[in-house]
Structures are given as structure tokens and as C-alpha cells.
Amino acid sequence: MWGNRMSPDQDRGTRPGGSDADEAVPPTDEQRAGWRGVQQRARGMTHHQAKAALEAAREAAERSPLDDGPERARSEAEIEEWERITDALADHAGYYDPEVDPFVQGELAGQSDRERDQPSAPRPTEGDAG
């Protein structure tokens, strides 16, 4: 039903970085915000509507090129997400819904796993001064 180039268990924001190819660079807050914003705007869209939104995002990026920085990262992430959604809808006759998008659900599960695996801050005990 959903065709996409990336499997749901991949984290598209984790990419090689630095001089060490094994080192992963997590996506920025701007990238994640861009993806989430597009997912919400795309909710209920057909393939043709998503394709038009992708073209509009590309044209907007060409009209006002941004310097390297958070705004550019978000703009590129938005275009990347429109491309992914458009590709997914090409093989799907219905409407886009992030609640049933396996890639989005895979990212949410991965984020939950990462949060669970991070050590929490130590709690002060009764005898600690604070």
C-alpha cells in the first residue's frame, strides 16, 4: 500500500558525518520540525495535491535562497519530506495520513527507543543539599 524508498526502521536524519564514516549525525530540531510540519500539511492530500505542494516548496526555495543555517536546513527538510510523501502516494490511491505512514511510525518508534535508552538525570536524595 505505501511505497517508499526508505524502510520504516531507518532514521533518515542519521547520516555519516565528520571524517569518521561510522559516526552518525542526528537530525537537527529544524529538520524534524520541517518534516512534522509537512506531514501535518499533507494530511488528507492526494498524490496530485502533494506533488503540487512539492513544486511550490521547490519554487519558494529557488525564489529566496537561504544561507547555510537553521532556515535552510528546515527548507531542505521540507522539500525532502514532500518528495518522500509524493513518492509514497504515487503507489497509493488514497489520501495521505501520517498516522498510517509506516515511515513516520518507524521514526516515532525509533525516537521513543532513543529517549528510553538515554540515562535520566540522577534524582536528589533526601540527604542532599539543594
Side-chain angles (χ1 to χ4, degrees), residues 9 11 25 27 33 42 44 46 82 100 123 129:
D9 58 333
D11 185 350
V25 178
T46 64
W82 280 121
V100 296
R123 293 183 176 180

Side-chain angles (χ1 to χ4, degrees), residues 12-13 15 27 32 39 59 73 82 87:
R12 66 176 147 197
R15 58 202 182 280
R32 289 193 188 279
Q39 292 159 7
E59 290 171 8
W82 280 121
D87 288 348

Side-chain angles (χ1 to χ4, degrees), residues 8 12 15-16 23 29 32 38-39 41 74-75 82 86 92 95 99:
R12 66 176 147 197
R15 58 202 182 280
E23 181 182 338
D29 290 341
R32 289 193 188 279
V38 168
Q39 292 159 7
R41 290 192 306 272
R74 183 174 179 143
S75 175
W82 280 121
T86 300
H92 177 64
Y95 300 95
E99 300 297 321

Side-chain angles (χ1 to χ4, degrees), residues 20-105:
D20 183 3
D22 293 334
E23 181 182 338
V25 178
T28 65
D29 290 341
E30 290 81 11
Q31 288 171 308
R32 289 193 188 279
W35 297 331
R36 283 190 304 269
V38 168
Q39 292 159 7
Q40 292 309 307
R41 290 192 306 272
R43 185 184 299 270
M45 285 187 175
T46 64
H47 175 259
H48 295 292
Q49 291 168 320
K51 189 172 183 179
L54 168 60
E55 292 306 315
R58 286 178 175 159
E59 290 171 8
E62 288 176 13
R63 278 194 309 272
S64 39
L66 302 168
D67 293 332
D68 285 342
E71 292 170 353
R72 181 178 181 137
R74 183 174 179 143
S75 175
E76 290 174 353
E78 288 177 353
I79 291 170
E80 174 186 289
E81 187 65 354
W82 280 121
E83 289 172 344
R84 190 192 66 76
I85 289 171
T86 300
D87 288 348
L89 287 172
D91 297 330
H92 177 64
Y95 300 95
Y96 178 75
D97 183 356
E99 300 297 321
V100 296
D101 181 337
F103 192 80
V104 171
Q105 296 308 308

